[in-house]
Amino acid sequence: MKKCFFEKILLPVDRSEHSRRAVNFAGLLLSKMENILPEVTLFHVITGQHLSEILKSIHLKEKDIKDYEFFKKSKEKYIKEFIEPFLNEYAEILKEAGFKGEIKQEIEEGDAGNKIIEITKEQKFSAIMMSRRGMSEIKSLILGGVSNKVICSLKNQNIYIVGQKIYEENHCPVPYILIPVDGSEYSMKAVEHGACLANFVKGIKKITILRVVNISLYLERIRQGIDPEEEAKDILIKAQNVFLREGISPELIKTKILVGLPAEEIVRDIQEHNYNLVIMGRKGRSALKSLIFGGVSSAVINRCLEPTVAIINM
């Protein structure tokens, strides 16, 4: 089994309930991992909006703004009074969930998306877990949504976009997992990640591997002498074998074939079932290309808000 890519995790956070939920999810998931003791960094970026709050909170006069030392001390006071308390609170949430690894805290200043990308590359984080706010795809693109920017700018990191509903009944937040596959290399990376979770995370009850036969290509495959549904079965067998080779019980794995437009069928299947985690491989399209060409991962992230979505970048 390859390493599970959870050794070093970045948790970008702010004071919102969305971030609190992501921290809770991370604590629940990481506490259920056997034989792994990850390192987690709680990361907060002071943006222009926060700097504006600093100015308001200290009632700066025009001459004070030009006083670097005064401004520096005011910012330090703001960090101590308004940022460190919620970072410490999040550290306690991780511990209360059962997380026993090292917890670090880092604070930077600038654009949130750019800073997350920068620190991920510099410190070689293997995974990012971050909250979502449910922006529409168009709005996220126009406003440069942080999660959208991070997904489209990083490679070789696993990015978890934590959903709006977290399953806590048995203390494992991902008992039911969906992995859509199409036989490509990047979708098989998602399968490998699922096998890793099955090996290391206690409490997973069912992993569904889904292949959607693209209806728009159905007749073309028939003309080529290829039975699309038999081809789909071969893809599912290949994916299932990844789990079996790792000693995962076949009773844990379910396979499913649907026929239709991949993005629509995958979204519909997610909406009709109580999956807690959807794992998807990604080629690495830009945000604009994903929007124009209807990327499946983009559709899932923007239309399926309840489950957590794990993007396995290549």
Side-chain angles (χ1 to χ4, degrees):
M1 166 62 66
K2 298 179 180 179
K3 66 178 182 177
C4 206
F5 301 105
F6 283 109
E7 289 83 358
K8 193 173 181 182
I9 299 168
L10 184 68
L11 257 174
V13 294
D14 55 24
R15 283 185 288 180
S16 69
E17 284 302 313
H18 304 286
S19 283
R20 180 185 295 271
R21 186 173 61 248
V23 171
N24 186 40
F25 173 88
L28 291 171
L29 179 64
L30 300 176
S31 68
K32 302 300 284 186
M33 288 191 169
E34 297 179 320
N35 305 317
I36 297 178
L37 202 61
E39 172 190 297
V40 169
T41 296
L42 294 166
F43 181 55
H44 177 72
V45 179
I46 302 175
T47 63
Q49 180 181 353
H50 289 117
L51 290 175
S52 175
E53 290 179 19
I54 295 173
L55 295 176
K56 291 177 183 177
S57 69
I58 60 179
H59 306 292
L60 285 176
K61 298 177 182 177
E62 186 177 350
K63 65 182 182 62
D64 296 325
I65 296 176
K66 299 175 183 178
D67 187 335
Y68 174 77
E69 284 302 318
F70 182 81
F71 185 76
K72 180 182 176 183
K73 289 178 181 178
S74 299
K75 188 170 73 171
E76 290 172 353
K77 182 174 182 289
Y78 179 82
I79 289 172
K80 189 172 184 62
E81 292 182 357
F82 294 97
I83 297 177
E84 288 182 359
F86 76 77
L87 291 181
N88 292 334
E89 182 184 355
Y90 289 168
E92 287 303 313
I93 290 174
L94 288 171
K95 293 173 185 176
E96 288 171 5
F99 177 70
K100 295 180 172 60
E102 183 179 3
I103 302 172
K104 296 182 176 181
Q105 298 180 10
E106 289 208 26
I107 300 169
E108 294 260 355
E109 181 183 327
D111 175 81
N114 290 339
K115 285 296 179 180
I116 292 169
I117 294 164
E118 183 180 301
I119 193 174
T120 299
K121 292 178 178 179
E122 287 180 356
Q123 299 192 24
K124 302 186 186 308
F125 285 96
S126 52
I128 301 171
M129 294 183 183
M130 58 194 301
S131 61
R132 66 183 305 156
R133 286 169 169 75
M135 277 185 174
S136 71
E137 193 168 10
I138 293 287
K139 189 175 180 182
S140 178
L141 180 68
I142 293 172
L143 299 181
V146 174
S147 59
N148 196 51
K149 181 183 288 187
V150 170
I151 290 170
C152 294
S153 301
L154 289 175
K155 295 180 179 179
N156 304 317
Q157 280 84 22
N158 301 326
I159 303 172
Y160 275 61
I161 308 299
V162 178
Q164 295 179 352
K165 184 176 180 181
I166 298 177
Y167 184 89
E168 299 186 46
E169 185 177 319
N170 71 339
H171 210 237
C172 173
V174 293
Y176 298 99
I177 299 174
L178 176 69
I179 309 177
V181 296
D182 60 8
S184 64
E185 181 184 1
Y186 65 94
S187 77
M188 293 306 293
K189 288 292 183 182
V191 173
E192 291 175 7
H193 187 78
C196 172
L197 290 176
N199 253 324
F200 289 106
V201 178
K202 295 182 295 182
I204 294 177
K205 297 180 178 180
K206 183 67 66 177
I207 297 176
T208 300
I209 309 172
L210 170 64
R211 167 60 178 160
V212 177
V213 178
N214 194 331
I215 189 66
S216 63
L217 302 176
Y218 200 98
L219 291 178
E220 180 182 339
R221 301 301 276 168
I222 293 292
R223 283 195 295 268
Q224 293 172 346
I226 299 171
D227 184 330
E229 295 188 44
E230 287 300 318
E231 183 181 43
K233 289 178 183 178
D234 290 340
I235 290 171
L236 291 176
I237 290 171
K238 180 182 177 184
Q240 189 174 26
N241 283 339
V242 172
F243 288 89
L244 299 181
R245 284 195 299 269
E246 297 298 336
I248 307 302
S249 170
E251 294 180 359
L252 191 68
I253 310 303
K254 175 184 177 181
T255 59
K256 181 190 293 189
I257 296 175
L258 297 175
V259 179
L261 298 175
E264 294 302 317
E265 292 301 321
I266 291 169
V267 167
R268 184 180 295 112
D269 191 62
I270 293 169
Q271 292 172 342
E272 291 177 355
H273 297 84
N274 293 320
Y275 299 116
N276 312 105
L277 174 65
V278 182
I279 307 175
M280 308 190 72
R282 188 176 181 279
K283 284 180 178 177
R285 286 174 173 164
S286 69
L288 183 59
K289 284 184 178 178
S290 285
L291 181 65
I292 293 172
F293 295 111
V296 175
S297 60
S298 179
V300 170
I301 289 172
N302 288 286
R303 294 169 60 185
C304 303
L305 304 182
E306 289 196 350
T308 293
V309 180
I311 301 297
I312 313 303
N313 273 322
M314 291 183 63

